[in-house]
PDB file of all heavy atoms in Angstrom:
ATOM      1  N   SER A 208     -10.960  -7.420  -1.589  1.00 53.00           N
ATOM      2  CA  SER A 208     -12.371  -7.413  -1.055  1.00 53.00           C
ATOM      3  C   SER A 208     -12.691  -8.819  -0.545  1.00 53.00           C
ATOM      4  O   SER A 208     -12.405  -9.746  -1.255  1.00 53.00           O
ATOM      5  CB  SER A 208     -13.323  -6.964  -2.161  1.00 53.00           C
ATOM      6  OG  SER A 208     -14.630  -7.154  -1.669  1.00 53.00           O
ATOM      7  N   ALA A 209     -13.178  -8.886   0.656  1.00 49.00           N
ATOM      8  CA  ALA A 209     -13.615 -10.188   1.160  1.00 49.00           C
ATOM      9  C   ALA A 209     -15.089 -10.339   1.292  1.00 49.00           C
ATOM     10  O   ALA A 209     -15.626 -10.815   2.243  1.00 49.00           O
ATOM     11  CB  ALA A 209     -12.895 -10.344   2.557  1.00 49.00           C
ATOM     12  N   SER A 210     -15.787  -9.874   0.255  1.00 43.00           N
ATOM     13  CA  SER A 210     -17.236  -9.809   0.322  1.00 43.00           C
ATOM     14  C   SER A 210     -17.880 -11.138   0.474  1.00 43.00           C
ATOM     15  O   SER A 210     -19.040 -11.247   0.929  1.00 43.00           O
ATOM     16  CB  SER A 210     -17.789  -9.092  -0.923  1.00 43.00           C
ATOM     17  OG  SER A 210     -17.368  -9.749  -2.100  1.00 43.00           O
ATOM     18  N   THR A 211     -17.217 -12.217   0.121  1.00 40.00           N
ATOM     19  CA  THR A 211     -17.816 -13.550   0.217  1.00 40.00           C
ATOM     20  C   THR A 211     -17.482 -14.190   1.511  1.00 40.00           C
ATOM     21  O   THR A 211     -17.920 -15.329   1.791  1.00 40.00           O
ATOM     22  CB  THR A 211     -17.332 -14.406  -0.956  1.00 40.00           C
ATOM     23  OG1 THR A 211     -15.887 -14.568  -0.937  1.00 40.00           O
ATOM     24  CG2 THR A 211     -17.751 -13.863  -2.305  1.00 40.00           C
ATOM     25  N   CYS A 212     -16.749 -13.494   2.333  1.00 48.00           N
ATOM     26  CA  CYS A 212     -16.303 -14.097   3.617  1.00 48.00           C
ATOM     27  C   CYS A 212     -17.299 -13.765   4.726  1.00 48.00           C
ATOM     28  O   CYS A 212     -17.906 -12.726   4.682  1.00 48.00           O
ATOM     29  CB  CYS A 212     -14.873 -13.604   3.932  1.00 48.00           C
ATOM     30  SG  CYS A 212     -14.333 -14.053   5.502  1.00 48.00           S
ATOM     31  N   ASN A 213     -17.449 -14.634   5.699  1.00 53.00           N
ATOM     32  CA  ASN A 213     -18.353 -14.403   6.812  1.00 53.00           C
ATOM     33  C   ASN A 213     -17.607 -13.913   8.091  1.00 53.00           C
ATOM     34  O   ASN A 213     -18.148 -13.915   9.174  1.00 53.00           O
ATOM     35  CB  ASN A 213     -19.142 -15.670   7.142  1.00 53.00           C
ATOM     36  CG  ASN A 213     -20.118 -16.033   5.992  1.00 53.00           C
ATOM     37  OD1 ASN A 213     -20.732 -15.174   5.441  1.00 53.00           O
ATOM     38  ND2 ASN A 213     -20.166 -17.284   5.680  1.00 53.00           N
ATOM     39  N   ALA A 214     -16.367 -13.504   7.930  1.00 60.00           N
ATOM     40  CA  ALA A 214     -15.585 -13.036   9.043  1.00 60.00           C
ATOM     41  C   ALA A 214     -16.197 -11.770   9.629  1.00 60.00           C
ATOM     42  O   ALA A 214     -16.879 -11.035   8.898  1.00 60.00           O
ATOM     43  CB  ALA A 214     -14.144 -12.777   8.589  1.00 60.00           C
ATOM     44  N   PRO A 215     -15.996 -11.528  10.945  1.00 89.00           N
ATOM     45  CA  PRO A 215     -16.582 -10.341  11.547  1.00 89.00           C
ATOM     46  C   PRO A 215     -15.873  -9.070  11.274  1.00 89.00           C
ATOM     47  O   PRO A 215     -16.189  -8.027  11.797  1.00 89.00           O
ATOM     48  CB  PRO A 215     -16.535 -10.691  13.057  1.00 89.00           C
ATOM     49  CG  PRO A 215     -15.326 -11.569  13.177  1.00 89.00           C
ATOM     50  CD  PRO A 215     -15.301 -12.395  11.951  1.00 89.00           C
ATOM     51  N   TRP A 216     -14.739  -9.133  10.488  1.00 94.00           N
ATOM     52  CA  TRP A 216     -13.950  -7.986  10.327  1.00 94.00           C
ATOM     53  C   TRP A 216     -14.395  -7.163   9.119  1.00 94.00           C
ATOM     54  O   TRP A 216     -14.691  -7.798   8.060  1.00 94.00           O
ATOM     55  CB  TRP A 216     -12.467  -8.355  10.129  1.00 94.00           C
ATOM     56  CG  TRP A 216     -11.971  -9.186  11.230  1.00 94.00           C
ATOM     57  CD1 TRP A 216     -11.648 -10.527  11.200  1.00 94.00           C
ATOM     58  CD2 TRP A 216     -11.763  -8.823  12.629  1.00 94.00           C
ATOM     59  NE1 TRP A 216     -11.239 -10.959  12.421  1.00 94.00           N
ATOM     60  CE2 TRP A 216     -11.331  -9.940  13.269  1.00 94.00           C
ATOM     61  CE3 TRP A 216     -11.939  -7.613  13.276  1.00 94.00           C
ATOM     62  CZ2 TRP A 216     -11.024  -9.923  14.686  1.00 94.00           C
ATOM     63  CZ3 TRP A 216     -11.654  -7.597  14.659  1.00 94.00           C
ATOM     64  CH2 TRP A 216     -11.220  -8.709  15.346  1.00 94.00           C
ATOM     65  N   ALA A 217     -14.428  -5.871   9.252  1.00 97.00           N
ATOM     66  CA  ALA A 217     -14.742  -4.961   8.059  1.00 97.00           C
ATOM     67  C   ALA A 217     -13.420  -4.585   7.302  1.00 97.00           C
ATOM     68  O   ALA A 217     -13.407  -4.574   6.136  1.00 97.00           O
ATOM     69  CB  ALA A 217     -15.444  -3.754   8.554  1.00 97.00           C
ATOM     70  N   VAL A 218     -12.365  -4.336   8.104  1.00 97.00           N
ATOM     71  CA  VAL A 218     -11.111  -3.920   7.562  1.00 97.00           C
ATOM     72  C   VAL A 218      -9.998  -4.593   8.295  1.00 97.00           C
ATOM     73  O   VAL A 218      -9.957  -4.529   9.538  1.00 97.00           O
ATOM     74  CB  VAL A 218     -10.911  -2.406   7.537  1.00 97.00           C
ATOM     75  CG1 VAL A 218      -9.562  -2.033   6.931  1.00 97.00           C
ATOM     76  CG2 VAL A 218     -12.028  -1.717   6.797  1.00 97.00           C
ATOM     77  N   THR A 219      -9.045  -5.233   7.604  1.00 97.00           N
ATOM     78  CA  THR A 219      -7.803  -5.725   8.288  1.00 97.00           C
ATOM     79  C   THR A 219      -6.600  -5.288   7.470  1.00 97.00           C
ATOM     80  O   THR A 219      -6.633  -5.301   6.234  1.00 97.00           O
ATOM     81  CB  THR A 219      -7.870  -7.257   8.431  1.00 97.00           C
ATOM     82  OG1 THR A 219      -7.951  -7.878   7.120  1.00 97.00           O
ATOM     83  CG2 THR A 219      -9.021  -7.697   9.266  1.00 97.00           C
ATOM     84  N   ALA A 220      -5.554  -5.029   8.203  1.00 97.00           N
ATOM     85  CA  ALA A 220      -4.238  -4.635   7.513  1.00 97.00           C
ATOM     86  C   ALA A 220      -3.221  -5.517   8.161  1.00 97.00           C
ATOM     87  O   ALA A 220      -3.015  -5.590   9.337  1.00 97.00           O
ATOM     88  CB  ALA A 220      -3.969  -3.184   7.792  1.00 97.00           C
ATOM     89  N   ASN A 221      -2.510  -6.188   7.210  1.00 97.00           N
ATOM     90  CA  ASN A 221      -1.416  -7.175   7.670  1.00 97.00           C
ATOM     91  C   ASN A 221      -0.101  -6.768   7.081  1.00 97.00           C
ATOM     92  O   ASN A 221       0.150  -6.913   5.918  1.00 97.00           O
ATOM     93  CB  ASN A 221      -1.787  -8.587   7.233  1.00 97.00           C
ATOM     94  CG  ASN A 221      -3.103  -9.129   7.817  1.00 97.00           C
ATOM     95  OD1 ASN A 221      -3.440  -8.840   8.936  1.00 97.00           O
ATOM     96  ND2 ASN A 221      -3.893  -9.835   7.042  1.00 97.00           N
ATOM     97  N   GLY A 222       0.780  -6.201   7.948  1.00 97.00           N
ATOM     98  CA  GLY A 222       2.052  -5.823   7.518  1.00 97.00           C
ATOM     99  C   GLY A 222       2.121  -4.803   6.388  1.00 97.00           C
ATOM    100  O   GLY A 222       3.001  -4.892   5.494  1.00 97.00           O
ATOM    101  N   VAL A 223       1.170  -3.886   6.371  1.00 97.00           N
ATOM    102  CA  VAL A 223       1.031  -2.953   5.209  1.00 97.00           C
ATOM    103  C   VAL A 223       2.124  -1.893   5.206  1.00 97.00           C
ATOM    104  O   VAL A 223       2.451  -1.279   6.203  1.00 97.00           O
ATOM    105  CB  VAL A 223      -0.335  -2.250   5.287  1.00 97.00           C
ATOM    106  CG1 VAL A 223      -0.411  -1.149   4.273  1.00 97.00           C
ATOM    107  CG2 VAL A 223      -1.443  -3.305   5.019  1.00 97.00           C
ATOM    108  N   GLU A 224       2.738  -1.779   4.093  1.00 97.00           N
ATOM    109  CA  GLU A 224       3.738  -0.722   3.835  1.00 97.00           C
ATOM    110  C   GLU A 224       3.457   0.013   2.571  1.00 97.00           C
ATOM    111  O   GLU A 224       2.934  -0.661   1.609  1.00 97.00           O
ATOM    112  CB  GLU A 224       5.157  -1.317   3.818  1.00 97.00           C
ATOM    113  CG  GLU A 224       5.530  -1.992   5.147  1.00 97.00           C
ATOM    114  CD  GLU A 224       6.969  -2.540   5.139  1.00 97.00           C
ATOM    115  OE1 GLU A 224       7.633  -2.490   4.061  1.00 97.00           O
ATOM    116  OE2 GLU A 224       7.393  -2.996   6.151  1.00 97.00           O
ATOM    117  N   ARG A 225       3.752   1.267   2.542  1.00 96.00           N
ATOM    118  CA  ARG A 225       3.559   2.027   1.255  1.00 96.00           C
ATOM    119  C   ARG A 225       4.789   2.898   1.115  1.00 96.00           C
ATOM    120  O   ARG A 225       5.075   3.751   1.930  1.00 96.00           O
ATOM    121  CB  ARG A 225       2.310   2.842   1.274  1.00 96.00           C
ATOM    122  CG  ARG A 225       2.140   3.728   0.054  1.00 96.00           C
ATOM    123  CD  ARG A 225       1.972   3.002  -1.233  1.00 96.00           C
ATOM    124  NE  ARG A 225       2.158   3.881  -2.410  1.00 96.00           N
ATOM    125  CZ  ARG A 225       1.907   3.553  -3.669  1.00 96.00           C
ATOM    126  NH1 ARG A 225       1.357   2.379  -3.922  1.00 96.00           N
ATOM    127  NH2 ARG A 225       2.119   4.361  -4.640  1.00 96.00           N
ATOM    128  N   LYS A 226       5.557   2.683   0.030  1.00 93.00           N
ATOM    129  CA  LYS A 226       6.741   3.408  -0.273  1.00 93.00           C
ATOM    130  C   LYS A 226       6.529   4.313  -1.478  1.00 93.00           C
ATOM    131  O   LYS A 226       5.874   3.971  -2.434  1.00 93.00           O
ATOM    132  CB  LYS A 226       7.866   2.396  -0.590  1.00 93.00           C
ATOM    133  CG  LYS A 226       9.223   3.024  -0.707  1.00 93.00           C
ATOM    134  CD  LYS A 226      10.362   1.972  -0.646  1.00 93.00           C
ATOM    135  CE  LYS A 226      10.197   0.848  -1.633  1.00 93.00           C
ATOM    136  NZ  LYS A 226      11.388  -0.063  -1.618  1.00 93.00           N
ATOM    137  N   PHE A 227       7.115   5.532  -1.417  1.00 91.00           N
ATOM    138  CA  PHE A 227       7.040   6.484  -2.508  1.00 91.00           C
ATOM    139  C   PHE A 227       8.459   6.815  -2.923  1.00 91.00           C
ATOM    140  O   PHE A 227       9.415   6.719  -2.095  1.00 91.00           O
ATOM    141  CB  PHE A 227       6.311   7.726  -2.117  1.00 91.00           C
ATOM    142  CG  PHE A 227       4.857   7.536  -1.897  1.00 91.00           C
ATOM    143  CD1 PHE A 227       4.348   7.379  -0.637  1.00 91.00           C
ATOM    144  CD2 PHE A 227       3.959   7.500  -2.959  1.00 91.00           C
ATOM    145  CE1 PHE A 227       2.965   7.221  -0.403  1.00 91.00           C
ATOM    146  CE2 PHE A 227       2.630   7.329  -2.747  1.00 91.00           C
ATOM    147  CZ  PHE A 227       2.108   7.181  -1.505  1.00 91.00           C
ATOM    148  N   SER A 228       8.636   7.239  -4.161  1.00 82.00           N
ATOM    149  CA  SER A 228       9.924   7.739  -4.651  1.00 82.00           C
ATOM    150  C   SER A 228       9.974   9.242  -4.653  1.00 82.00           C
ATOM    151  O   SER A 228       9.022   9.915  -4.943  1.00 82.00           O
ATOM    152  CB  SER A 228      10.173   7.187  -6.073  1.00 82.00           C
ATOM    153  OG  SER A 228      10.192   5.826  -6.097  1.00 82.00           O
ATOM    154  N   ARG A 229      11.142   9.743  -4.252  1.00 74.00           N
ATOM    155  CA  ARG A 229      11.487  11.129  -4.405  1.00 74.00           C
ATOM    156  C   ARG A 229      12.526  11.210  -5.448  1.00 74.00           C
ATOM    157  O   ARG A 229      13.729  10.981  -5.207  1.00 74.00           O
ATOM    158  CB  ARG A 229      11.998  11.719  -3.120  1.00 74.00           C
ATOM    159  CG  ARG A 229      10.910  12.109  -2.097  1.00 74.00           C
ATOM    160  CD  ARG A 229      11.473  13.005  -0.999  1.00 74.00           C
ATOM    161  NE  ARG A 229      12.366  12.293  -0.159  1.00 74.00           N
ATOM    162  CZ  ARG A 229      12.179  11.922   1.066  1.00 74.00           C
ATOM    163  NH1 ARG A 229      11.018  12.219   1.626  1.00 74.00           N
ATOM    164  NH2 ARG A 229      13.059  11.277   1.743  1.00 74.00           N
ATOM    165  N   ARG A 230      12.161  11.517  -6.738  1.00 66.00           N
ATOM    166  CA  ARG A 230      13.110  11.453  -7.804  1.00 66.00           C
ATOM    167  C   ARG A 230      13.619  12.888  -8.119  1.00 66.00           C
ATOM    168  O   ARG A 230      12.930  13.887  -7.961  1.00 66.00           O
ATOM    169  CB  ARG A 230      12.480  10.910  -9.020  1.00 66.00           C
ATOM    170  CG  ARG A 230      12.171   9.405  -8.853  1.00 66.00           C
ATOM    171  CD  ARG A 230      12.138   8.778 -10.183  1.00 66.00           C
ATOM    172  NE  ARG A 230      11.942   7.285  -9.976  1.00 66.00           N
ATOM    173  CZ  ARG A 230      12.967   6.437  -9.824  1.00 66.00           C
ATOM    174  NH1 ARG A 230      14.164   6.857  -9.814  1.00 66.00           N
ATOM    175  NH2 ARG A 230      12.705   5.171  -9.598  1.00 66.00           N
ATOM    176  N   SER A 231      14.818  12.892  -8.548  1.00 48.00           N
ATOM    177  CA  SER A 231      15.532  14.175  -8.962  1.00 48.00           C
ATOM    178  C   SER A 231      14.752  14.745 -10.130  1.00 48.00           C
ATOM    179  O   SER A 231      14.258  13.994 -10.987  1.00 48.00           O
ATOM    180  CB  SER A 231      16.925  13.934  -9.381  1.00 48.00           C
ATOM    181  OG  SER A 231      17.510  15.034 -10.043  1.00 48.00           O
ATOM    182  N   PRO A 232      14.659  16.058 -10.228  1.00 49.00           N
ATOM    183  CA  PRO A 232      14.015  16.686 -11.394  1.00 49.00           C
ATOM    184  C   PRO A 232      14.830  16.473 -12.635  1.00 49.00           C
ATOM    185  O   PRO A 232      14.379  16.712 -13.735  1.00 49.00           O
ATOM    186  CB  PRO A 232      13.886  18.209 -11.023  1.00 49.00           C
ATOM    187  CG  PRO A 232      14.980  18.356  -9.990  1.00 49.00           C
ATOM    188  CD  PRO A 232      15.070  17.062  -9.278  1.00 49.00           C
ATOM    189  N   HIS A 233      16.122  16.081 -12.482  1.00 49.00           N
ATOM    190  CA  HIS A 233      16.976  15.922 -13.700  1.00 49.00           C
ATOM    191  C   HIS A 233      16.581  14.635 -14.397  1.00 49.00           C
ATOM    192  O   HIS A 233      15.899  13.694 -13.802  1.00 49.00           O
ATOM    193  CB  HIS A 233      18.423  15.840 -13.232  1.00 49.00           C
ATOM    194  CG  HIS A 233      18.902  17.008 -12.476  1.00 49.00           C
ATOM    195  ND1 HIS A 233      18.979  18.257 -13.086  1.00 49.00           N
ATOM    196  CD2 HIS A 233      19.229  17.200 -11.190  1.00 49.00           C
ATOM    197  CE1 HIS A 233      19.400  19.144 -12.177  1.00 49.00           C
ATOM    198  NE2 HIS A 233      19.539  18.510 -11.024  1.00 49.00           N
ATOM    199  N   GLY A 234      17.034  14.449 -15.595  1.00 53.00           N
ATOM    200  CA  GLY A 234      16.641  13.340 -16.432  1.00 53.00           C
ATOM    201  C   GLY A 234      17.368  12.054 -16.027  1.00 53.00           C
ATOM    202  O   GLY A 234      18.223  11.986 -15.213  1.00 53.00           O
ATOM    203  N   THR A 235      16.934  10.979 -16.722  1.00 53.00           N
ATOM    204  CA  THR A 235      17.482   9.670 -16.450  1.00 53.00           C
ATOM    205  C   THR A 235      19.020   9.599 -16.707  1.00 53.00           C
ATOM    206  O   THR A 235      19.769   8.982 -15.953  1.00 53.00           O
ATOM    207  CB  THR A 235      16.821   8.617 -17.323  1.00 53.00           C
ATOM    208  OG1 THR A 235      15.453   8.681 -17.069  1.00 53.00           O
ATOM    209  CG2 THR A 235      17.341   7.195 -17.048  1.00 53.00           C
ATOM    210  N   ALA A 236      19.459  10.265 -17.759  1.00 53.00           N
ATOM    211  CA  ALA A 236      20.898  10.229 -18.162  1.00 53.00           C
ATOM    212  C   ALA A 236      21.693  10.933 -17.048  1.00 53.00           C
ATOM    213  O   ALA A 236      22.771  10.415 -16.642  1.00 53.00           O
ATOM    214  CB  ALA A 236      21.118  11.001 -19.467  1.00 53.00           C
TER     215      ALA A 236
END
């Protein structure tokens, strides 16, 4: 949150990535 900033931007995204895992239903072993 940049609530203390006086910049004119409401939302900025810089190099945003979001990765998820697809894991096997089998156990760790």
Side-chain angles (χ1 to χ4, degrees):
S208 172
S210 58
T211 59
C212 175
N213 292 320
W216 307 110
V218 180
T219 60
N221 299 323
V223 169
E224 299 182 353
R225 175 65 194 191
K226 185 164 59 174
F227 291 99
S228 295
R229 280 194 292 251
R230 294 206 173 271
S231 165
H233 304 292
T235 303

